Amino acid sequence: MKFRKSFKVLLLLLMVLSTFTLVACKGGNDQKDPPAFDYTDLSVRDYVGKNGVVAAANPYAAKAGLDVLQAGGNAFDAAVAVSFALGVVEPNASGLGGGGILVAYEATTGGYVSYNFREFVPGAGVASAFPNKDADIDGGVKSSGVPTQVAGLLEIQENHGSLTRQKVMEPAINYANNGVKVTPELASAINENWDKVVGTSGDQTYDIFTSDGFTPLKAGDTLIQENYGNVLEEISEKGAEGFYKGWVADAIVASQVQHGGIITHDDLLYAMDNYTKVETPIVGNYRGYDIASANIPSSGGIILIEALNMLEHYGDLAALGHNSPEYINTIATAMALAYGDKRKYIADDEFVDVPVTGLINKSYAQSRWDEVYRPGKAFLGRHAVGGSTSDDYGNPWDFVSDSLNIGMIYDDSHDYIEHYSTTTFSISDKWGNIVSVTQTINYFFGNGVVPENCGFYLNNELSSFSFTTSSVHYIEPYKQPVSHIMPTIIMKDGNPWATLGSPGGLRIPSAVIQVVLNLIDFEMDIQSAISAPRVYTYAAGSDDHGANINMKDLYVEKGIVKDKAVQSALTAMGYYVIPTGEKEVDLYFGGVQGIRFNEEEGTMHGGADIRRDGKALGY
């Protein structure tokens, strides 16, 4: 009896122990794995990595680049992957129907490289081809430059990539065919631009951008673009000929014939054979930091270097206090002068002689600055445009040798209104390569024309041109439009220090300038530098403020003027202060995506803009 009782106790103990062990094992083996990292989570924007980082305006695009890096690709491979992916997941801002500019640092050579794949005026694009002038080039079918994005990306991949074309295009094809969730900014762009989204393209865009044939997609809905995927698969299989020849090219030309455009098969073949263009980046130095940025046909890099030269000449910006009234007055003066020179001098240098070295000369910047800057007083002069109405201070031609001043004038006939569209991204890899790209179709959804069964929008880049014959921006066949695109790389003592770029049309230089100052002068980390509120002003104020006609337009984010004393001080200086947007920061002021390098720690800190669906990812 005693034995039986002991046996029962022992058996009970064994059963308990066995159950405990089973539960413990079950907990260890079957315990739910930690949830997969949600790379679409926008509550966190930045990422610190050691092997590679991608900062892009959309989380799906950033993930495409990260996947390619982790598959053994370099920053150039990842850049091509991100670029194609952005056209799918952010179709409002860029895509196969547009173009862009790449600026990179190549670790194996220790040098910079730049590719210009900006669109160009079709061969038939003489002034008389646009009888309605600005109305024709601002948003109609005739506003399209010949798309060069595909030619540019494929040549970059061939020259610098280590993976196959098919491999780097896989993410974009997957996103197009299987769909992605609509992000908040994309939903907003679709809704706010609905007339253009459906535009001339009828049922094919209704089917893509509605949930039920009538209602525009909203955040969280799935966006599937099988037509776009078919075009990507054609390019993946056949290379450039898959876009510039065959059924895709036929569809592009047919869309032109149908709607009265002027792009021809010959234009597409010209793009395939002549793009991308290898350029020399513009390079300057600010307080000991070397800064490389986009050269002509973009004005952005020149504006950046000229403005920084003036601010370096000014002295200690940090002592003024970040976003204090006098700090804002100081940077606004530099912006106005640099933007003014852009307006007068910068154009496609295959058609116009441009005093590039004069514009970025430090002595020229000093002469400009010393003539007009006054503490506590806005610079209101129309002659912010260098020499256009006044010749009493610096002329960039005086600082250029062997250049011909062809007497181009400031052109008041066109407003050059640029949208907050376009997109940008920055990438670094474990080998030390850095790639920064800005790409665009100009306004959101370009000109609203989608070639049949192709899924991508054509650009409206010709809106940058003028019909004033004496203007540097006069429209001519094969001429590239001047933009403000400026992918930028910063080096310190020969080592990578930061990279960044922004969309935003005219606000691109102002956004990049302020983030650079935040990084260098105010020693902010990359995410703080990007997130800080910004201002924007141009060469001359507008004339539509009635009694305030003699005040300087100053657009500010609400995060700056929530302190009413700042707005009052700026008004007293002579600024017409225009708070923009409903939030403290706003899409109008750009969408910077960048990376800051910490050599001592061996880290790369990617930052992404809260004004867009920006996200940095890495490993």
Side-chain angles (χ1 to χ4, degrees):
M1 195 74 167
K2 189 182 240 181
F3 173 78
R4 286 182 181 176
K5 187 182 269 190
S6 298
F7 179 76
K8 285 182 179 179
V9 171
L10 180 61
L11 186 61
L12 183 62
L13 287 171
L14 287 172
M15 289 174 65
V16 170
L17 181 61
S18 174
T19 302
F20 175 80
T21 305
L22 194 62
V23 169
C25 290
K26 186 175 181 180
N29 293 333
D30 292 348
Q31 182 180 4
K32 289 184 178 180
D33 291 331
F37 174 62
D38 182 5
Y39 60 88
T40 65
D41 176 14
L42 297 179
S43 65
V44 177
R45 302 294 188 131
D46 62 332
Y47 189 93
V48 178
K50 286 183 173 290
N51 297 295
V53 168
V54 182
N58 180 286
Y60 289 102
K63 182 63 162 54
L66 176 60
D67 286 348
V68 167
L69 289 177
Q70 291 182 312
N74 62 29
F76 293 93
D77 292 305
V80 176
V82 171
S83 179
F84 276 119
L86 277 169
V88 176
V89 302
E90 208 185 33
N92 54 302
S94 71
L96 304 179
I101 292 177
L102 172 148
V103 174
Y105 171 78
E106 194 169 31
T108 55
T109 64
Y112 303 115
V113 62
S114 181
Y115 284 92
N116 157 23
F117 47 102
R118 289 281 287 147
E119 309 87 336
F120 60 90
V121 179
V126 296
S128 60
F130 307 93
N132 299 311
K133 296 190 176 180
D134 290 352
D136 280 336
I137 65 173
D138 190 49
V141 66
K142 288 184 178 180
S143 66
S144 289
V146 181
T148 49
Q149 179 100 347
V150 173
L153 295 180
L154 296 186
E155 186 168 341
I156 291 165
Q157 172 67 24
E158 182 178 348
N159 291 348
H160 302 278
S162 59
L163 302 181
T164 65
R165 177 177 70 244
Q166 290 76 15
K167 183 66 176 177
V168 299
M169 293 187 68
E170 275 180 9
I173 294 171
N174 175 54
Y175 292 153
N177 291 336
N178 298 319
V180 295
K181 295 298 182 183
V182 175
T183 51
E185 282 298 337
L186 176 56
S188 176
I190 292 170
N191 188 65
E192 292 176 5
N193 298 275
W194 184 241
D195 287 345
K196 186 184 286 187
V197 172
V198 296
T200 61
S201 305
D203 292 342
Q204 63 174 324
T205 45
Y206 272 107
D207 291 343
I208 294 169
F209 291 103
T210 68
S211 55
D212 55 8
F214 301 98
T215 308
L217 294 176
K218 59 185 183 301
D221 287 344
T222 300
L223 172 63
I224 297 175
Q225 302 170 84
E226 292 179 355
N227 287 343
Y228 204 122
N230 291 337
V231 177
L232 290 171
E233 288 172 352
E234 187 79 355
I235 297 167
S236 176
E237 179 183 345
K238 299 179 180 178
E241 291 192 359
F243 186 84
Y244 295 102
K245 293 182 178 181
W247 67 267
V248 178
D250 289 343
I252 294 172
V253 173
S255 73
Q256 300 294 293
V257 173
Q258 179 183 359
H259 301 294
I262 60 175
I263 295 175
T264 67
H265 279 291
D266 285 343
D267 293 321
L268 295 174
L269 293 175
Y270 183 90
M272 184 176 72
D273 293 339
N274 292 276
Y275 283 76
T276 184
K277 297 184 177 182
V278 180
E279 307 282 5
T280 301
I282 199 82
V283 180
N285 184 279
Y286 177 70
R287 305 194 195 281
Y289 294 83
D290 294 319
I291 299 175
S293 192
N295 205 337
I296 295 170
S298 179
S299 63
I302 296 172
I303 293 172
L304 171 66
I305 301 303
E306 182 177 355
L308 291 178
N309 284 343
M310 294 178 192
L311 295 172
E312 183 180 63
H313 174 60
Y314 165 82
D316 189 355
L317 288 174
L320 297 175
H322 187 257
N323 280 345
S324 68
E326 187 52 43
Y327 172 75
I328 292 172
N329 177 49
T330 303
I331 64 172
T333 302
M335 287 180 200
L337 293 171
Y339 274 121
D341 277 348
K342 171 261 175 183
R343 199 61 184 272
K344 178 177 173 61
Y345 297 111
I346 302 175
D348 184 340
D349 59 355
E350 292 189 10
F351 291 79
V352 174
D353 197 13
V354 183
V356 175
T357 56
L359 291 168
I360 64 172
N361 183 283
K362 288 184 182 291
S363 295
Y364 172 65
Q366 292 170 14
S367 68
R368 288 282 268 156
W369 185 261
D370 290 342
E371 182 63 29
V372 304
Y373 172 70
R374 299 293 180 268
K377 186 176 181 180
F379 173 58
L380 305 177
R382 292 287 293 182
H383 64 296
V385 183
S388 64
T389 60
S390 173
D391 293 315
D392 57 358
Y393 58 94
N395 183 337
W397 294 105
D398 294 339
F399 299 87
V400 177
S401 59
D402 300 323
S403 291
L404 172 66
N405 184 345
I406 57 178
M408 290 294 181
I409 65 169
Y410 169 51
D411 176 21
D412 257 337
S413 67
H414 200 277
D415 288 336
Y416 299 102
I417 298 170
E418 287 192 79
H419 210 253
Y420 40 68
S421 52
T422 304
T423 193
T424 196
F425 59 90
S426 296
I427 301 175
S428 56
D429 66 26
K430 63 184 178 182
W431 296 285
N433 298 303
I434 305 169
V435 178
S436 186
V437 175
T438 305
Q439 59 189 50
T440 185
I441 51 175
N442 203 14
Y443 295 2
F444 274 173
F445 299 100
N447 62 3
V449 175
V450 178
E452 188 170 3
N453 297 324
C454 290
F456 61 85
Y457 287 87
L458 293 175
N459 68 83
N460 67 319
E461 290 294 348
L462 301 194
S463 65
S464 299
F465 287 103
S466 167
F467 294 98
T468 300
T469 56
S470 56
S471 169
V472 293
H473 306 290
Y474 182 65
I475 194 163
E476 300 174 75
Y478 304 106
K479 195 173 189 178
Q480 290 187 295
V482 170
S483 76
H484 299 87
I485 286 174
M486 50 189 304
T488 298
I489 294 172
I490 305 175
M491 307 286 285
K492 177 66 172 175
D493 299 326
N495 298 309
W497 195 81
T499 181
L500 69 160
S502 180
L506 287 163
R507 277 83 58 201
I508 293 174
S510 64
V512 173
I513 288 167
Q514 287 169 88
V515 174
V516 169
L517 297 176
N518 291 346
L519 290 169
I520 295 177
D521 291 84
F522 294 94
E523 300 180 349
M524 296 183 189
D525 66 78
I526 187 69
Q527 189 59 52
S528 299
I530 290 171
S531 299
R534 303 173 193 146
V535 303
Y536 159 72
T537 192
Y538 192 55
S542 66
D543 298 335
D544 58 0
H545 301 314
N548 299 309
I549 189 171
N550 292 319
M551 301 184 77
K552 178 75 172 178
D553 286 357
L554 182 71
Y555 297 83
V556 299
E557 291 189 292
K558 288 190 174 179
I560 289 176
V561 293
K562 62 183 179 182
D563 181 350
K564 299 302 181 184
V566 174
Q567 182 166 349
S568 297
L570 291 169
T571 301
M573 291 178 178
Y575 289 100
Y576 185 79
V577 179
I578 309 170
T580 301
E582 299 300 322
K583 302 176 183 178
E584 288 199 0
V585 296
D586 187 78
L587 176 63
Y588 178 84
F589 293 86
V592 175
Q593 320 298 335
I595 304 169
R596 169 75 167 85
F597 302 93
N598 188 320
E599 186 183 10
E600 292 182 0
E601 297 180 4
T603 58
M604 316 164 187
H605 185 184
D609 210 314
I610 57 178
R611 297 164 181 83
R612 295 281 279 254
D613 292 321
K615 183 77 173 180
L617 297 173
Y619 75 114

